[in-house]
Amino acid sequence: MTTITAGERWAQGKILVWLNQIIKKKLPFEGAEQEVEIVLPKGRRRYPDIVIWYKKPDKIACIIELKQPIVDVYNEDLVHAALEKATWAGIPFFATWNLNKFVLWETFRPGTSLLDRRLRHWDVLDIKRVPELEKHERAVKEFLFDFLSALAKYYE
């Protein structure tokens, strides 16, 4: 018998579907995709969990690094890895999200510390395990709409 577990990639897929449903509601983005390849210097390749396209295939609006609820969204390694992907790809915004807390960061702001680049923080859910996500579809969709609306303001 095969056991299927709802892990991080399963959550990415669910959120990706919900993001694309919301984007279709007249937001200025062309869609969202999972794990788009970004090539860094020296040929290193990275794959952000979720990419939100502003103008596909040339302009990404934001990348989201999605982690398990136990991972701190302010974890230095997580934030640095997301910042590196966004910087090398010329993406103006990135986010770190552990399903419970979501932080939107600004990639480019010379002369500021990383914490000064934090634009918004949302408390989204209060769950312990990824499989609980599906029970909160409505709340997550409301949050995603709020997040995408806030992100859209930076593009207007």
Side-chain angles (χ1 to χ4, degrees):
M1 174 166 40
T2 302
T3 303
I4 299 174
T5 59
E8 203 171 294
R9 287 193 187 248
W10 173 85
Q12 286 175 16
K14 283 278 180 205
I15 290 166
L16 188 66
V17 169
W18 297 339
L19 275 167
N20 281 311
Q21 289 172 351
I22 294 163
I23 287 170
K24 288 179 184 176
K25 296 179 182 180
K26 298 190 179 185
L27 287 164
F29 307 109
E30 290 190 2
E33 290 183 314
Q34 190 172 2
E35 302 210 9
V36 172
E37 180 182 67
I38 293 176
V39 180
L40 301 179
K42 299 181 182 176
R44 295 182 304 158
R45 298 178 187 323
R46 297 292 183 264
Y47 301 86
D49 294 331
I50 296 174
V51 169
I52 299 171
W53 290 99
Y54 183 62
K55 299 288 182 198
K56 191 176 179 182
D58 301 319
K59 185 158 176 122
I60 296 172
C62 183
I63 61 171
I64 301 172
E65 288 300 321
L66 181 66
K67 300 299 169 206
Q68 299 277 341
I70 60 169
V71 176
D72 179 8
V73 292
Y74 292 99
N75 174 285
E76 190 174 321
D77 293 335
L78 170 63
V79 175
H80 183 270
L83 173 62
E84 180 183 43
K85 292 172 194 174
T87 300
W88 285 109
I91 302 165
F93 303 100
F94 68 96
T96 53
W97 188 15
N98 68 3
L99 299 179
N100 293 321
K101 297 181 185 311
F102 184 101
V103 181
L104 178 63
W105 306 83
E106 185 175 19
T107 304
F108 308 106
R109 200 182 319 160
T112 60
S113 74
L114 188 57
L115 281 179
D116 290 337
R117 295 181 193 191
R118 183 182 91 166
L119 295 175
R120 291 270 312 258
H121 173 111
W122 285 270
D123 289 320
V124 183
L125 298 174
D126 186 17
I127 63 173
K128 303 275 187 256
R129 300 172 347 124
V130 172
E132 298 174 43
L133 174 66
E134 210 163 24
K135 296 177 194 170
H136 301 281
E137 179 177 350
R138 183 176 172 177
V140 173
K141 283 182 172 180
E142 287 173 5
F143 154 71
L144 289 172
F145 180 78
D146 289 348
F147 155 63
L148 289 169
S149 297
L151 184 63
K153 289 179 183 173
Y154 293 106
Y155 286 90
E156 291 175 350

